[in-house]
Amino acid sequence: MVIVLSVTVLQPSQIIGQEALDAPLSTSNISLATSNGSSNILKVVCSAAEYGRNLKVSSCRNVFKFLKHDDAQFTFAQRDSGVPHDVPLPFRTLSNDGLCFVQPVLAEGALVGHVSPTDIGMAAFTMLQSCVVERGTGGIAFNLGESYQQAEKWLVVNVIEGEIFHLHMQHVIGGDNKVNVAIADYKPNVQCDTSSTPGPPLLSCFSVFSNMRATTQLRLFGYPNEGSVDEQLPLVLEAADGRCIAGIDIAGSATLASWYEIWEAVTAITTMCTRNKMKGGKARGLGLNSNIILKLSDKASTPGQSGGKLLNVTSKETSIGIQDFES
């Protein structure tokens, strides 16, 4: 099936108005149509299989309230790569209800990338209209490059589990083509604290999810008496100021899980409970056996092996996800 489209890159003022990801966002299984000069054209893939279907439009719109408007170029790299960076990947900005997120990801083979928060927002707004509103799916944007022109461009679209199309650019977007941007769904299993206990400071919890491990390899989480577990529980991750603590425990026998899944849950609680309600909270159903429990709070409520104090998040790492941040 071949389609010819012309689509504009949208500004926030132009917006009118589930399947959960089981694996980290990846571009390795996406093949893009190429043509002469196509490096100057933003490419978008809308795919229900990769980025979710039946996304809630109001949830995805809510994400943009928290995206920073800043034309400064930030450096993106994986947090455990050793490459100097402003923004530690993975990094995600979620809606208040946790059902939709925008996430920058490095292009396949790239160790580092450069792009501004404004560029990320413009690409994501375009996907909101082209994928979420018009097709009900999530998607990913490629080629946030330096040399975009304002001239109209057309393209032949190849459909692969979704639709790939080059966009008609009406605004210059800058970057080095090393950072892609996804908009996708998430299915949180989060319960916010409803007691009178104050929640942890938001900046402290940003420090936790910005600096904790987020590797994708499966690890065996469990108690020491269960044998050769990789991660001994209970485990506590603590912000450098000691104010935000993520306690990880398990109900039952050891199970396989990835730190990426744990990171997703910490990000979800921080967003849904701490940012939205100034509270702590819990996430359940983590791991292969759905029996890992995560609690985010101001003080440790259970004893555990320390995960090591984490570094404070820098202002740039914070500003990429929050437009008006107050500690």
Side-chain angles (χ1 to χ4, degrees):
M1 179 178 179
V2 178
I3 304 172
V4 178
L5 294 175
S6 177
V7 185
T8 56
V9 169
L10 301 176
Q11 298 275 16
S13 61
Q14 294 174 281
I15 299 298
I16 308 171
Q18 229 154 288
E19 275 181 24
L21 294 176
D22 293 325
L25 296 177
S26 172
T27 60
S28 61
N29 57 347
I30 299 292
S31 58
L32 291 174
T34 58
S35 60
N36 292 335
S38 65
S39 61
N40 291 345
I41 308 169
L42 186 69
K43 299 170 184 165
V44 168
V45 179
C46 298
S47 173
E50 294 295 327
Y51 307 106
R53 59 168 51 89
N54 299 323
L55 273 70
K56 190 176 179 181
V57 175
S58 60
S59 298
C60 292
R61 283 189 176 133
N62 177 253
V63 175
F64 296 94
K65 179 180 178 182
F66 304 101
L67 291 178
K68 179 75 175 178
H69 296 286
D70 190 340
D71 293 330
Q73 295 273 312
F74 288 0
T75 301
F76 294 73
Q78 293 299 129
R79 60 186 62 194
D80 56 355
S81 65
V83 177
H85 57 266
D86 302 312
V87 182
L89 299 180
F91 195 94
R92 172 179 296 183
T93 303
L94 274 158
S95 58
N96 280 338
D97 60 11
L99 297 177
C100 185
F101 65 85
V102 169
Q103 183 168 333
V105 293
L106 288 177
E108 185 179 4
L111 295 178
V112 65
H114 303 86
V115 73
S116 76
T118 298
D119 299 334
I120 289 173
M122 288 174 63
F125 267 114
T126 301
M127 288 187 291
L128 173 64
Q129 183 65 30
S130 301
C131 298
V132 180
V133 175
E134 296 182 5
R135 293 165 176 82
T137 73
I140 191 166
F142 300 80
N143 273 17
L144 278 72
E146 300 174 354
S147 54
Y148 288 113
Q149 304 298 320
Q150 293 183 357
E152 179 171 338
K153 295 182 181 291
W154 293 79
L155 126 79
V156 176
V157 179
N158 293 316
V159 176
I160 51 165
E161 276 200 348
E163 297 160 25
I164 300 178
F165 44 91
H166 294 193
L167 303 178
H168 163 206
M169 305 296 299
Q170 288 189 333
H171 306 279
V172 174
I173 293 182
D176 60 4
N177 289 337
K178 300 293 181 62
V179 179
N180 305 323
V181 181
I183 188 167
D185 71 345
Y186 180 66
K187 288 188 180 296
N189 188 1
V190 169
Q191 181 180 5
C192 297
D193 181 20
T194 57
S195 73
S196 59
T197 304
L202 181 56
L203 183 57
S204 299
C205 293
F206 260 72
S207 176
V208 173
F209 81 68
S210 294
N211 292 282
M212 65 178 286
R213 279 181 284 174
T215 51
T216 59
Q217 294 83 4
L218 289 176
R219 309 273 291 173
L220 187 63
F221 287 72
Y223 294 129
N225 60 6
E226 294 190 80
S228 56
V229 297
D230 300 309
E231 306 293 346
Q232 294 186 7
L233 301 180
L235 179 65
V236 174
L237 305 178
E238 183 176 335
D241 62 5
R243 295 295 306 279
C244 185
I245 293 174
I248 308 168
D249 209 336
I250 194 168
S253 58
T255 188
L256 291 171
S258 71
W259 277 105
Y260 187 90
E261 183 183 7
I262 305 295
W263 167 82
E264 286 186 306
V266 173
T267 305
I269 301 174
T270 300
T271 297
M272 299 169 66
C273 303
T274 311
R275 188 186 75 188
N276 190 35
K277 300 179 179 181
M278 296 183 289
K279 291 288 187 179
K282 291 183 179 180
R284 301 179 184 275
L286 304 173
L288 187 63
N289 294 335
S290 301
N291 61 339
I292 292 179
I293 304 166
L294 174 69
K295 180 180 180 180
L296 201 70
S297 61
D298 194 346
K299 294 181 179 179
S301 58
T302 56
Q305 175 183 326
S306 174
K309 288 194 173 183
L310 305 176
L311 299 175
N312 281 314
V313 67
T314 68
S315 59
K316 277 193 174 182
E317 291 170 350
T318 300
S319 64
I320 193 70
I322 293 293
Q323 181 174 343
D324 295 314
F325 186 85
E326 297 180 0
S327 58

